[in-house]
């Protein structure tokens, strides 16, 4: 399920029904009750924000250097952010990190796959399918740690990065990872947003953050009051 266009009206209104006003009012009441409920039912770690004053939903990034270098403090300031990510991590290592993680998060994002093909410029579909298969397995593992999960697909990279593998992973992800929200960034990330052919500039991160942040704010009940 590609995160492309999000319509707030789909969540909070029904303009073509006589019951629209009632649903909108009921939605507001439900959102208020949910916010109050969540403020009392979050885990101790989630009740404390980084400022120790206001509750912020926890958001964890699982993946490789893309997640490790993400400027989340600036671009996800409404969240208490965590990174379970390191450079040059393969999908096997990312999966192992998810298995060994003992924390619980309100939302998580998973990226990875390209590092499986460093210096492999002629990947086979069997290799790509194995990589994406591990990502699918990791998503299943993350269900035990995350209330909401987003998958980040690959974009068009340039040499010396594995260009063919990145393109093939993008296609396979669209086919296999269609059961959770997925960001397909090939049309969002432009060549000038790449530092070394693969890693992102601040502008590139900003564009992806906006897409992910908007989705999370429309999905997590904690933020619904902003749209009423």
């Amino acid at each position: 399920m590609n995160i492309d266009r999000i319509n707030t009206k789909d969540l909070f209104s029904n303009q073509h029904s006589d019951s629209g006003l009632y649903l909108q009012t009921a939605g507001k009441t439900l959102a208020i009750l949910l916010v109050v409920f969540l403020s009392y039912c979050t885990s101790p770690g989630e009740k404390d924000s980084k400022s120790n004053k206001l509750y912020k939903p926890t958001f964890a990034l699982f993946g490789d250097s893309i997640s490790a270098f993400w400027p989340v403090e600036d671009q996800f300031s409404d969240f208490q952010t965590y990174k379970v990510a390191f450079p040059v991590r393969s999908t096997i290592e990312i999966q192992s990190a998810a298995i060994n993680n003992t924390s619980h998060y309100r939302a998580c994002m998973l990226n990875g796959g390209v590092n499986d093909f460093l210096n492999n410029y002629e990947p086979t579909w069997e290799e790509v399918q194995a990589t994406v298969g591990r990502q699918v397995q990791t998503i299943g593992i993350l269900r035990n740690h995350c209330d909401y999960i987003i998958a980040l697909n690959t974009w068009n990279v340039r040499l010396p990065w594995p260009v063919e593998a990145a393109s093939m992973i993008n296609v396979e992800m669209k086919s296999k990872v269609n059961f959770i929200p997925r960001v397909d960034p090939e049309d969002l990330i432009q060549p000038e947003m790449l530092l070394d052919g693969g890693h992102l500039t601040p502008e590139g991160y900003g564009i992806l953050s906006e897409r992910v942040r908007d989705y999370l704010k429309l999905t997590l009940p904690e933020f619904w009051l902003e749209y009423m």
Side-chain angles (χ1 to χ4, degrees), residues 1-2 125 128-129 132-133 136 139 153 167-180 182 184 186:
M1 177 173 57
N2 180 27
W125 275 111
V128 170
Q129 289 168 352
V132 175
V136 171
I139 291 169
N153 205 348
S167 177
M168 294 167 71
I169 291 172
N170 180 283
V171 173
E172 188 69 8
M173 287 280 287
K174 291 177 180 178
S175 172
K176 297 299 192 300
V177 185
N178 50 23
F179 52 92
I180 62 169
R182 185 191 68 244
D184 297 325
E186 65 269 24

Side-chain angles (χ1 to χ4, degrees), residues 135-197:
Q135 293 290 77
V136 171
Q137 292 172 354
T138 302
I139 291 169
I141 295 167
L142 290 178
R143 289 187 185 277
N144 297 319
H145 302 287
C146 316
D147 296 332
Y148 297 87
I149 305 173
I150 298 174
L152 177 62
N153 205 348
T154 58
W155 48 84
N156 299 317
V157 301
R158 292 188 169 188
L159 293 172
W161 290 86
V163 176
E164 188 67 20
S167 177
M168 294 167 71
I169 291 172
N170 180 283
V171 173
E172 188 69 8
M173 287 280 287
K174 291 177 180 178
S175 172
K176 297 299 192 300
V177 185
N178 50 23
F179 52 92
I180 62 169
R182 185 191 68 244
V183 178
D184 297 325
E186 65 269 24
D187 294 329
L188 299 174
I189 302 301
Q190 305 304 315
E192 62 271 16
M193 300 176 187
L194 301 177
L195 287 173
D196 55 1

Side-chain angles (χ1 to χ4, degrees), residues 43-212:
S43 64
E46 286 184 311
K47 286 185 179 179
D48 297 326
S49 70
K50 290 179 179 178
S51 62
N52 292 321
K53 293 181 179 180
L54 297 174
Y55 162 73
K56 293 183 180 182
T58 50
F59 179 45
L61 281 66
F62 287 78
D64 53 28
S65 58
I66 298 302
S67 291
F69 298 150
W70 207 299
V72 290
E73 291 80 6
D74 296 329
Q75 298 181 0
F76 288 92
S77 59
D78 291 328
F79 295 83
Q80 185 173 344
T81 55
Y82 300 87
K83 294 179 181 178
V84 189
F86 295 92
V88 203
R89 268 194 169 175
S90 66
T91 52
I92 293 176
E93 294 169 311
I94 294 171
Q95 185 177 105
S96 178
I99 292 173
N100 294 326
N101 189 271
T102 58
S103 299
H104 190 88
Y105 309 99
R106 193 74 172 110
C108 298
M109 183 168 66
L110 173 68
N111 94 283
V114 173
N115 286 332
D116 288 8
F117 299 92
L118 297 180
N119 299 318
N120 179 357
Y121 297 103
E122 295 181 352
T124 66
W125 275 111
E126 288 76 16
E127 291 173 321
V128 170
Q129 289 168 352
T131 286
V132 175
R134 282 189 290 273
Q135 293 290 77
V136 171
Q137 292 172 354
T138 302
I139 291 169
I141 295 167
L142 290 178
R143 289 187 185 277
N144 297 319
H145 302 287
C146 316
D147 296 332
Y148 297 87
I149 305 173
I150 298 174
L152 177 62
N153 205 348
T154 58
W155 48 84
N156 299 317
V157 301
R158 292 188 169 188
L159 293 172
W161 290 86
V163 176
E164 188 67 20
S167 177
M168 294 167 71
I169 291 172
N170 180 283
V171 173
E172 188 69 8
M173 287 280 287
K174 291 177 180 178
S175 172
K176 297 299 192 300
V177 185
N178 50 23
F179 52 92
I180 62 169
R182 185 191 68 244
V183 178
D184 297 325
E186 65 269 24
D187 294 329
L188 299 174
I189 302 301
Q190 305 304 315
E192 62 271 16
M193 300 176 187
L194 301 177
L195 287 173
D196 55 1
H199 291 108
L200 297 173
T201 64
E203 181 184 7
Y205 274 120
I207 288 177
L208 294 183
S209 291
E210 182 179 6
R211 180 62 56 86
V212 174

